[in-house]
Amino acid sequence: MAVNAYLNFNGNCREAVEFYAQVFGTEEPKLMTFGEMPPNPEYPLPEEAKNLIMHTQLDIFGSNVMFSDVFPGMPFVVGSNINLALVTEDIEALQSAFGKLKEGGKVGMELQETFWSKCYGSLSDKFGVVWQFNLGSV
């Protein structure tokens, strides 16, 4: 059994997931749009929803992270209740991801030694997603 993070975006999911795939060096994501759903005459799909991402996912350092756009008209708050923890034994990968994700974002805590980790840091990326970085097991 696994717990997966699911991130919602307000029309820029495609840009976000492609950015994360590049940052973490994953395979190109398979994108499913709302327009690919089987049509339902009782609930016609609005034109503005057709190219929005209904679902996609990435394997980021062995964790499955899922993404989607919110359906038009649904409430959306950037970063609400989303916090992802990246835990790895590879300091170079940790530093690389931190460096790339902080571009256009806001650093909460630069990478540094703490009482629980030789290297820890946190930031909010350019999409408003909060990330924690931890070297070693938690």
Side-chain angles (χ1 to χ4, degrees):
M1 188 180 303
V3 175
N4 300 312
Y6 206 111
L7 305 176
N8 291 304
F9 295 88
N10 196 21
N12 61 343
C13 180
R14 183 183 310 269
E15 176 188 1
V17 77
E18 288 173 353
F19 172 74
Y20 295 137
Q22 182 271 324
V23 166
F24 296 109
T26 69
E27 291 183 19
E28 188 174 326
K30 293 177 178 68
L31 305 171
M32 179 187 297
T33 65
F34 286 107
E36 294 176 75
M37 293 187 314
N40 183 339
E42 294 180 35
Y43 301 100
L45 187 64
E47 193 62 37
E48 66 270 20
K50 290 183 179 178
N51 290 318
L52 295 178
I53 304 302
M54 185 176 104
H55 178 78
T56 189
Q57 62 189 32
L58 296 174
D59 179 332
I60 299 176
F61 293 122
S63 294
N64 188 39
V65 181
M66 298 175 283
F67 305 80
S68 73
D69 281 310
V70 294
F71 199 77
M74 297 296 291
F76 177 79
V77 178
V78 173
S80 66
N81 301 319
I82 300 296
N83 197 320
L84 299 177
L86 181 76
V87 180
T88 181
E89 298 290 340
D90 184 346
I91 193 163
E92 290 178 4
L94 184 125
Q95 291 169 331
S96 173
F98 187 92
K100 291 175 183 176
L101 286 171
K102 78 177 187 178
E103 291 178 25
K106 182 179 178 186
V107 174
M109 181 178 189
E110 285 289 347
L111 291 175
Q112 60 192 273
E113 186 169 340
T114 64
F115 69 90
W116 69 87
S117 175
K118 294 283 186 196
C119 187
Y120 174 85
S122 66
L123 59 80
S124 181
D125 71 21
K126 68 182 181 179
F127 296 104
V129 176
V130 178
W131 295 84
Q132 295 182 48
F133 298 80
N134 198 75
L135 182 65
S137 57
V138 182

